[in-house]
């Protein structure tokens, strides 16, 4: 039995089917869609995608053709590990029944955090996690044509939806109680994102807390912000409420604890995606990073192991890319506060360059990189810049996986031609600067 019909669940079900043609596989999905791209929702709202169905990679019918028994609008409500049953509520018919399992796979995803303020459940306040959320947001946007949109919280989802509403011609205000945009970046790099947001016409209200929301405005501790539609970009937490006290262990992050084969400590019970914890490749600590790229990979690993094969998930570096109009953002590994919390003594370097040759009007790029002081091992990087900036973070992500030093990264054989890069790629320039800091005994923490 698989609970959850998106990335972490269907990747597992598909692998299991491949390995065990005769296995009886039941997928419980409380919503109306399977295998959809939540990552594409901002582009649906912004109008670059014309219909919600385009975000569905595979329909329930396609899975059923593979003899995967997908039961839509069926919610798992409890688990009995002794009886090895799941309590299931059929939302359409209002019936509840018990379903037995030999193996169980949890892929229930994440739940948006909702600040506890008056008006948070109003009809124009939207948290965006599933396609049902996207459908409701799109209907509100099309029927009511909001002129003034307020985004609360500026992580990548808040940023991307701010862009979507700019594209719809709305005035956008962003409120965040933090002093800079994007908590996954250091303050200096987050400040570059905030600058870009202002440049693109977004009103930034940083270091302000939301006190209440009504049909026409968001009230902060400083002011009233007129808004006909409100987006919550306040982050997510693992969706594990349904597990209750059933005995499947949760970790310090609130996610399901799994081993490298995505198995919990309960034999035959697996988990993947936003609902579970991962091991951070650099800090070694348990983390819960809600990204589709992990949900797909972890689901595949769980499915192979459920099918009697052998696969492991190595861990996550927290590599993420996003954009606001022409400004691209990438990050991987540890930022300064994470490196300190993990006990590393580190040095950092930050460089400004262009993504391709300056004489071809290459757009600006800023690269910040951190390395461990004693060993020179690269710990993480952040990039903000124009076209071609974000995906350069993959070079650093690869360096993290290979435990490379700043010296190694500076010497990498990275491609160069004027329309793509400067002679020394900005990532190599940052690594060289870092090397200088490491050898000169300069500022370290
Ligand atoms: C707007 C947006 C943009 C994003 N952009 C990116 C991006 O660019 N890159 C990236 O890597 N990631 C991105 N993500 C994150 C990515 O979408 C998630 O990490 C991914 O969808 C997680 O997959 P999952 O299968 O773990 O959970 P989900 O996709 O949340 O799926 C869980 C499913 O389980 C169902 N379910 C939950 N509880 C029950 C229950 N009790 N019974 C039955 N069914 C249940 C839910 O209805 C849901 O369909 C984005 C997310 C959003 C919302």
């Amino acid at each position: 039995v698989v609970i959850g019909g998106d990335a972490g669940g269907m990747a597992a079900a598909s692998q299991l089917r491949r390995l065990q043609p005769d296995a009886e596989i039941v997928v419980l999905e409380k919503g109306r869609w399977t295998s959809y791209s939540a990552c594409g929702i901002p582009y649906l709202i912004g109008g670059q995608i014309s219909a919600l169905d385009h975000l569905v990679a595979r329909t329930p019918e396609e899975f059923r053709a593979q003899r995967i028994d997908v039961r839509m609008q069926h919610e798992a409500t409890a688990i009995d590990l002794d009886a090895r049953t799941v309590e299931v509520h059929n939302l359409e018919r209002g019936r509840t029944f018990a379903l037995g399992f030999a193996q169980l796979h949890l892929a229930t995803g994440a739940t948006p955090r909702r600040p506890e303020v008056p008006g948070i459940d109003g009809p124009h306040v939207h948290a965006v996690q599933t396609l049902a959320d996207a459908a409701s947001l799109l209907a509100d946007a099309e029927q009511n044509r909001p002129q003034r949109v307020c985004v609360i919280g500026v992580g990548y989802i808040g940023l991307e939806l701010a862009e979507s509403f700019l594209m719809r011609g709305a005035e956008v205000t962003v409120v965040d109680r933090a002093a800079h945009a994007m908590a996954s970046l250091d303050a200096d790099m987050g400040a570059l994102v905030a600058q870009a947001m202002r440049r693109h016409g977004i009103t930034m209200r940083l270091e302000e807390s939301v006190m209440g929301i009504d049909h026409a405005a968001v009230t902060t501790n400083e002011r009233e912000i007129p808004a006909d539609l409100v987006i919550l970009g306040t982050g997510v937490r693992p969706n594990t409420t349904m597990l209750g006290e059933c005995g499947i262990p949760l970790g310090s992050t609130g996610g399901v604890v799994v081993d490298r084969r995505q198995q919990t400590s309960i034999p035959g019970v697996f988990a993947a995606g936003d609902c579970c914890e991962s091991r951070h490749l650099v800090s070694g600590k348990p983390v819960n990073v809600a990204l589709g790229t992990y949900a797909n990979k972890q689901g595949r690993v769980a499915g192979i192991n459920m099918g009697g094969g052998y696969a492991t998930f190595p861990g996550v570096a927290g590599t993420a890319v996003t954009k606001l109009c022409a400004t691209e953002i990438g990050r991987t590994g540890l930022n300064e506060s994470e490196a300190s919390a993990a006990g590393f003594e580190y040095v950092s370097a930050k460089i400004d360059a262009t993504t391709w040759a300056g004489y071809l009007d290459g757009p600006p790029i800023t690269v910040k990189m951190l390395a461990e002081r004693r060993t020179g091992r690269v710990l993480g990087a952040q990039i903000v810049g124009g076209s071609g900036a974000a995906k350069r973070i993959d070079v650093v992500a690869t360096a993290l996986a290979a435990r490379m030093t700043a010296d190694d990264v500076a010497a990498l054989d990275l491609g160069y031609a004027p329309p793509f890069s400067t002679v020394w790629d900005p990532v190599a320039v940052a690594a060289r600067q870092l090397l200088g800091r490491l050898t000169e005994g300069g500022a370290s923490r």
Side-chain angles (χ1 to χ4, degrees):
V1 171
V2 173
I3 307 178
D6 193 22
M10 298 321 298
S14 300
Q15 281 302 322
L16 178 55
R17 169 54 71 236
R18 241 170 241 148
L19 291 171
Q20 295 214 355
D22 299 325
E24 190 187 334
I25 307 171
V26 179
V27 176
L28 304 170
E29 167 54 55
K30 69 179 177 185
R32 286 183 286 142
W33 292 276
T34 50
S35 275
Y36 50 85
S37 169
C39 315
I41 294 171
Y43 311 101
L44 173 74
I45 305 299
Q48 294 103 311
I49 301 167
S50 57
L52 185 133
D53 287 353
H54 295 182
L55 295 180
V56 178
R58 285 170 90 191
T59 61
E61 291 70 33
E62 287 174 281
F63 286 111
R64 285 180 195 130
Q66 293 182 297
R67 290 174 301 106
I68 296 173
D69 179 3
V70 182
R71 303 200 192 165
M72 304 306 293
Q73 294 188 266
H74 278 61
E75 181 172 8
T77 45
I79 293 168
D80 183 337
L81 288 176
D82 294 330
R84 290 189 87 83
T85 55
V86 180
E87 181 185 272
V88 187
H89 187 61
N90 179 334
L91 298 166
E92 254 178 330
R93 301 215 171 138
R95 277 195 312 123
T96 298
F97 60 97
L99 187 65
F101 63 84
Q103 298 192 98
L104 178 67
H105 178 58
L106 306 168
T108 48
T111 309
R113 291 180 197 278
R114 300 177 80 88
E116 285 183 17
V117 294
I120 193 76
D121 295 320
H124 302 302
V125 181
H126 297 269
V128 186
Q129 180 66 21
T130 62
L131 270 202
D133 298 332
S136 143
L137 175 59
L138 189 62
D140 194 357
E142 305 226 304
Q143 280 156 27
N144 300 312
R145 309 223 159 258
Q147 296 302 302
R148 290 168 303 188
V149 171
C150 181
V151 178
I152 302 174
V154 58
Y156 76 91
I157 291 179
L159 186 86
E160 290 174 6
L161 285 161
E163 178 188 285
S164 310
F165 280 97
L166 283 182
M167 300 201 67
R168 295 184 77 90
E171 274 173 36
V172 179
T173 303
V174 167
V175 186
D176 200 306
R177 62 181 173 204
H180 67 93
M182 304 202 72
S184 62
L185 304 181
D186 290 325
D188 53 347
M189 297 299 281
L192 296 178
V193 177
Q195 268 172 30
M197 293 176 83
R198 286 191 191 97
R199 234 183 7 255
H200 290 297
I202 296 173
T203 305
M204 302 295 289
R205 301 296 183 200
L206 297 174
E207 294 183 272
E208 290 188 26
S209 297
V210 172
M211 313 300 286
I213 304 170
D214 66 25
H215 66 282
V218 170
T219 307
T220 73
N221 54 328
E222 298 276 337
R223 73 195 81 234
E224 199 162 86
I225 300 166
D228 349 284
L229 187 144
V230 177
I231 302 280
L232 299 179
T234 35
V236 295
R237 58 179 172 75
N239 176 14
T240 54
T241 320
M242 180 268 299
L243 300 182
E245 303 290 310
C246 81
I248 296 172
L250 303 182
S252 54
T253 67
V256 177
V257 179
V258 289
D259 63 15
R260 56 180 67 238
R261 296 182 70 183
Q262 296 300 131
Q263 186 164 205
T264 69
S265 58
I266 314 293
V269 179
F270 293 77
D274 291 359
C275 68
C276 75
E277 288 191 345
S278 306
R279 191 181 60 89
H280 197 286
L281 282 173
V282 183
S283 71
K285 292 189 173 179
V287 288
N288 175 253
V289 186
L291 286 173
T293 164
Y294 303 147
N296 276 290
K297 290 172 189 154
Q298 291 173 344
R300 178 175 178 277
V301 165
I304 291 172
N305 291 318
M306 288 163 81
Y310 179 84
T312 59
F313 182 72
V316 306
T319 309
V321 289
T322 186
K323 75 172 193 64
L324 175 83
C325 305
T327 302
E328 300 184 358
I329 300 143
R331 59 94 60 218
T332 190
L334 305 179
N335 63 25
E336 293 205 43
S337 56
E338 290 164 340
S340 296
F344 284 108
E345 191 184 326
Y346 65 90
V347 292
S348 71
K350 189 168 70 175
I351 62 103
D352 293 313
T354 50
T355 56
W356 60 81
Y359 52 79
L360 288 179
D361 265 347
I365 177 170
T366 303
V367 182
K368 179 171 181 176
M369 204 180 285
L370 272 63
E372 187 182 19
R373 174 156 196 75
R374 188 172 58 81
T375 61
R377 176 188 171 195
V378 175
L379 299 176
Q382 297 152 59
I383 297 178
V384 178
S387 172
K391 283 290 276 177
R392 279 182 157 91
I393 206 70
D394 289 347
V395 171
V396 188
T398 309
L400 295 182
R403 297 176 75 92
M404 290 166 78
T405 62
D407 205 3
D408 296 329
V409 175
L412 280 175
D413 183 7
L414 303 177
Y416 161 66
F420 301 103
S421 173
T422 42
V423 180
W424 283 83
D425 187 275
V427 167
V429 178
R432 249 178 43 190
Q433 180 107 350
L434 198 49
L435 207 49
R437 291 274 163 81
L438 286 162
T439 48
E440 81 198 8
S444 72
R445 303 208 191 145

